[in-house]
Amino acid sequence: MTTFKVGYLIGSLAKESINRKLAQALIRLAPEHLTFTEVPIKDLPLYSYDYDDEYPPVARAFKDAIAAVDAVLFVTPEYNRSIPGALKNAIDWASRPYGQNSFTRKPSAVIGTSPGSIGTAIAQQHLRSVLSFCNSPQMNAPEAYIQFTHELITDDGDVTNEATAEFLKHYMTEFHQFIVRVYTALPKDA
C-alpha cells in the first residue's frame, strides 16, 4: 500500500497550544501508511502581491513544503469566530501568485480543539470556504470539533479519554482512506 506524506499546519502560534497537543495525538493515532511533517507558519511575513515576482526565502520554503506533501492536515483553534490570521496568511502565501497554487488538487482535512463546547466549528467552516477556493479536495466527514478539557491530551500526545482516542483514530483512518480516494480519482500525473 502507498504511503502518503502529510504536511500539517497548526493554526496557533503559541508554544503550549492545545492544538499542537491535538496534532501530536493525531500523529500517534494515524495509520502506518501516513507520515507527517509539520509545515511551520510562525516566521512568514504578511503576504503582499508585491512579493509575487520574488518570494522571501522563508515564504518560498513554505510554499515548496506544501507542494511537496501529498495531503494537508489543518489543526486550528478558533479566534473571534474565524481562523487565526497567521493561518490565513500562510494559505495566502502557498496559494499565490495566481496560477501557482500549491493546494490545487491536494487532499485536506480540518480539525481543531477549544475549551468551548462547540470546539472550533465556526473556524472550520471559514477554513473550508477558503480551501474550496484553493481547489483543495476536503474530507467533509467525519467532522471533528473537539472540546478540550483539562488533561485530555498529554504533552506527549497521549489521549486520556478512551472514547476521544477511538474517535481520533477513526478520524485519521478516514483521512487516509480519503487521500486514497482522491488520488484514485485525480492521479497526480493526470
Side-chain angles (χ1 to χ4, degrees):
M1 182 173 280
T2 302
T3 297
F4 296 102
K5 184 176 181 182
V6 177
Y8 65 97
L9 281 72
I10 299 171
S12 172
L13 301 181
K15 292 177 188 172
E16 300 297 322
S17 167
I18 58 177
N19 281 278
R20 180 167 297 284
K21 289 181 180 184
L22 175 59
Q24 294 307 310
L26 293 168
I27 291 167
R28 290 183 78 147
L29 295 167
E32 64 182 339
H33 297 292
L34 297 179
T35 63
F36 295 87
T37 184
E38 181 176 357
V39 185
I41 66 174
K42 70 180 179 84
D43 293 328
L44 291 168
L46 291 176
Y47 171 77
S48 168
Y49 67 80
D50 292 339
Y51 293 116
D52 282 357
D53 290 333
E54 190 172 338
Y55 266 36
V58 67
R60 172 55 51 202
F62 175 80
K63 184 175 180 63
D64 291 347
I66 296 295
V69 297
D70 299 308
V72 181
L73 175 63
F74 293 87
V75 185
T76 186
E78 181 170 297
Y79 291 177
N80 298 320
R81 296 288 189 248
S82 189
I83 61 174
L87 181 57
K88 176 61 168 70
N89 183 58
I91 293 168
D92 291 343
W93 278 112
S95 63
R96 295 302 203 197
Y98 183 81
Q100 298 176 37
N101 178 3
S102 295
F103 293 110
T104 298
R105 297 174 60 178
K106 191 169 301 280
S108 61
V110 177
I111 190 170
T113 188
S114 166
S117 60
I118 63 170
T120 58
I122 299 170
Q124 288 188 39
Q125 293 309 309
H126 285 189
L127 181 52
R128 290 179 189 284
S129 177
V130 172
L131 293 173
S132 291
F133 181 79
C134 290
N135 196 23
S136 175
Q138 300 169 55
M139 182 175 81
N140 294 314
E143 294 179 313
Y145 312 117
I146 309 300
Q147 182 179 16
F148 195 89
T149 56
H150 182 67
E151 297 181 358
L152 175 66
I153 303 171
T154 69
D155 290 341
D156 296 329
D158 287 324
V159 181
T160 60
N161 178 289
E162 188 175 325
T164 301
E166 283 302 312
F167 174 80
L168 295 175
K169 184 175 183 177
H170 172 72
Y171 181 88
M172 294 307 287
T173 299
E174 288 292 321
F175 186 37
H176 175 248
Q177 293 171 354
F178 174 73
I179 296 167
V180 170
R181 287 192 304 274
V182 168
Y183 285 122
T184 299
L186 301 169
K188 293 181 190 181
D189 56 359

